[in-house]
Amino acid sequence: MQEKNVSRRGFIKWITGGGIVAFLASVFFPVVKFIIPPESGEANVSQVKLPFGRAEIEAEAKKSKTFKFGRSLGIIVATPEGELKALAAACTHLDCTVQHRPDLGIIWCSCHNGRYDLNGNNISGPPPKPLEQYIVNEVGDEIFVARETS
């Protein structure tokens, strides 16, 4: 068996190099973990039952409520005609949450003044495409919102 003779200088280089690698790993590991989003435990859904009813929507000052639709937000609006409209609540420009403006009769994104009609179509502003529209079914006092199948 052959013995390997390690010099003092080689040992110091090895310890210093290992310390530098450990330091860089301790700095960059949290940065990388922050940049990469964690896996979501929620599944994509095609239909949800809302935890509130029509009376609660109409009791709101804005005649609308937001709800969780799987991993994203939705907004349900009571129109002046008494119809319920459900749309994706993320603006198609930069994903800001939209809100109902009953005084203007529109869905409005406050981030960059994006405006949609109550069917989710663009009226003005920077949004490049309309909001996704959902199907609303009322069964008694319960409201079910479903994604359109195409």
Side-chain angles (χ1 to χ4, degrees):
M1 197 167 201
Q2 188 178 12
E3 275 190 37
K4 190 171 184 180
N5 195 6
V6 177
S7 69
R8 186 181 301 175
R9 181 175 296 235
F11 179 74
I12 296 292
K13 283 182 177 179
W14 187 82
I15 291 293
T16 305
I20 290 171
V21 169
F23 172 75
L24 291 176
S26 68
V27 169
F28 288 111
F29 180 75
V31 172
V32 170
K33 291 296 282 181
F34 178 76
I35 292 172
I36 299 171
E39 292 280 330
S40 175
E42 298 177 15
N44 283 330
V45 296
S46 60
Q47 180 176 327
V48 295
K49 176 185 163 195
L50 300 186
F52 46 81
R54 175 184 279 271
E56 293 174 66
I57 298 168
E58 292 176 342
E60 290 286 324
K62 293 188 173 186
K63 304 287 184 204
S64 66
K65 283 183 93 63
T66 56
F67 59 93
K68 195 159 183 179
F69 193 88
R71 296 179 188 169
S72 59
L73 277 181
I75 184 169
I76 187 161
V77 177
T79 65
E81 295 81 28
E83 189 179 0
L84 292 178
K85 298 271 187 174
L87 305 161
C91 179
T92 57
H93 178 226
L94 291 176
D95 287 340
C96 296
T97 302
V98 297
Q99 56 187 295
H100 181 222
R101 293 280 308 261
D103 55 332
L104 302 174
I106 62 169
I107 304 292
W108 180 62
C109 177
S110 61
C111 291
H112 300 103
N113 200 22
R115 295 168 182 237
Y116 303 91
D117 66 12
L118 294 181
N119 292 318
N121 299 317
N122 300 49
I123 297 173
S124 66
K129 57 185 181 179
L131 296 173
E132 182 181 5
Q133 191 168 5
Y134 300 136
I135 300 168
V136 178
N137 290 316
E138 289 185 78
V139 179
D141 292 339
E142 299 176 337
I143 300 173
F144 295 90
V145 175
R147 195 177 301 271
E148 289 187 13
T149 57
S150 51

